[in-house]
Amino acid sequence: MTASRAAAFAPINIALVKYWGKRDAALNLPVAPSLSVALQELGSLTIVQPDAQLDRDIVVVDDRPLDPAGLVRAERVLAAVRRRAGATGHAGVRSVNTVPMARGLASSASGMAALAVAAARAYGLDLSPAELSALARLGSGSAARSVPGGFALWHAGSAPDGSDSVAECLHPAEHWPLRVLVAHVGGRKAVSSTAGMASTAASAPMFEAWTATCRADVATARNAIAARDFGALADVVECNALRMHATMLWGRPPLLYWQPATVAVIHAVRQLRHEGTECCFTIDAGASVVILATAQDVRAVAEVLGEIAGIDEVIETRVGPGARVVESGA
Ligand code: DP6
């Protein structure tokens, strides 16, 4: 089959049980499993156009050439697709994020997942969701979770080649239509996840305890999601995020991603839950906070967030579907 243009959309995903530590940096293989939700409509739309005239891959994201580190990641995905398809040559890639970059949501996961899905189609590969997840993982670990929709589990796996370190959909979004609020908190440029997790793993005395926590937390969160038990989910989601940040703080250099508004949101969400509102928070490698809430309680939470100083913007969405091809064969 000849290569032809294809486009794919992939959602941003938010980890409820976090990925923070690799057993293989080249293949982005994690030391522990993680669990996430896909966000509806927030993500990356990526077009891959194989082009025999090009002498290298050209990748443009939001109208700007991808930075060199990002390009290395994208090329890992493209090279793996071409190797598998027995194809040579290069491609022009254009990607647009539906949330502006630096809005408190990392777009590399959705971008790499959309790239994997679009490139596989462009080069004529017919891959399973698990195979697409493994391809996306080569670009960024958490991208493995942006392939399945709804509630996704990324298995740590044990195969040295990473073939079993893939994410699967545990439940589609309809299983539990939770709402998601992203409270964007600006601040200093954070240490990247890639660099941060390497230094934490190498230096934090509690790193082993952290990975054991993740294994246990995935099991607890799975049960809470299956039973739609918000209280149980809130408990494990917040504990897991706080333990990740505690582990980061114990590394050298200590990683402190929070700003005052981050802490204000933590307190506000805990207070709301104490009063009976179904909401909980999680925080990635940055100052922004993501809040899960039930459909019934989301308005009350958004109102409280609107009053907290230091939040630039609150984006409201819900759990949504996974990556999909949106155009092919042009
Ligand atoms: C804190 O997937 O961005 O968001 O594999 O090095 O590309 P690389 O890291 P990345 O790390 C995400 C870290 C996190 C937690 C999570 O999403 O699970």
Side-chain angles (χ1 to χ4, degrees):
M1 184 173 176
T2 52
S4 61
R5 188 170 111 130
F9 177 82
I12 286 170
N13 74 80
I14 301 295
L16 306 183
V17 175
K18 306 292 187 189
Y19 150 56
W20 196 257
K22 306 184 193 197
R23 66 171 203 276
D24 183 317
L27 296 173
N28 290 329
L29 301 181
V31 285
S34 57
L35 197 150
S36 62
V37 286
L39 300 189
Q40 189 172 55
E41 282 159 28
L42 302 183
S44 308
L45 176 67
T46 301
I47 302 167
V48 174
Q49 172 81 66
D51 186 341
Q53 309 298 315
L54 292 176
D55 60 0
R56 63 192 169 88
D57 293 314
I58 310 257
V59 183
V60 174
V61 178
D62 291 338
D63 290 328
R64 298 158 83 146
L66 189 58
D67 60 86
L71 191 59
V72 168
R73 291 161 176 264
E75 276 174 343
R76 265 192 244 149
V77 176
L78 287 166
V81 169
R82 286 193 283 252
R83 211 167 30 244
R84 211 158 161 158
T88 53
H90 296 91
V93 176
R94 177 173 285 275
S95 189
V96 179
N97 291 308
T98 58
V99 196
M101 277 198 195
R103 264 283 165 269
L105 288 168
S107 51
S108 67
S110 55
M112 291 300 159
L115 175 64
V117 172
R121 177 62 66 96
Y123 286 98
L125 294 175
D126 187 15
L127 302 182
S128 67
E131 290 169 314
L132 290 169
S133 174
L135 270 180
R137 193 199 66 236
L138 298 174
S140 181
S142 55
R145 299 187 312 240
S146 279
V147 173
F151 298 81
L153 168 63
W154 176 16
H155 299 274
S158 57
D161 69 354
S163 50
D164 56 355
S165 184
V166 298
E168 63 163 324
C169 174
L170 293 176
H171 303 280
E174 304 75 51
H175 168 71
W176 198 7
L178 291 175
R179 301 300 196 261
V180 181
L181 295 165
V182 183
H184 179 246
V185 179
R188 284 187 320 115
K189 186 173 163 16
V191 175
S192 75
S193 296
T194 309
M197 67 176 87
S199 72
T200 306
S203 63
M206 67 206 251
F207 186 71
E208 296 231 333
W210 157 247
T211 60
T213 287
C214 289
R215 285 184 208 102
D217 288 353
V218 158
T220 308
R222 257 187 106 146
N223 289 338
I225 292 165
R228 299 187 196 91
D229 180 340
F230 196 90
L233 184 66
D235 183 65
V236 69
V237 166
E238 291 188 359
C239 275
N240 186 268
L242 292 174
R243 284 185 179 184
M244 177 178 75
H245 285 270
T247 310
M248 292 163 158
L249 279 167
W250 205 345
R252 284 261 184 178
L255 303 176
L256 173 57
Y257 287 106
W258 299 355
Q259 293 294 329
T262 314
V263 180
V265 176
I266 292 174
H267 285 294
V269 169
R270 282 160 70 124
Q271 179 63 28
L272 278 164
R273 201 162 69 256
H274 180 69
E275 293 161 5
T277 305
E278 289 191 308
C279 59
C280 68
F281 67 82
T282 185
I283 308 164
D284 284 329
S288 296
V289 187
V290 177
I291 297 107
L292 289 184
T294 53
Q296 179 188 317
D297 284 350
V298 68
R299 291 267 42 89
V301 181
E303 266 169 40
V304 168
L305 293 178
E307 283 160 17
I308 296 176
I311 297 179
D312 305 337
E313 186 184 359
V314 178
I315 301 174
E316 194 174 329
T317 183
R318 59 170 75 188
V319 180
R324 60 251 181 207
V325 171
V326 293
E327 182 202 303
S328 92

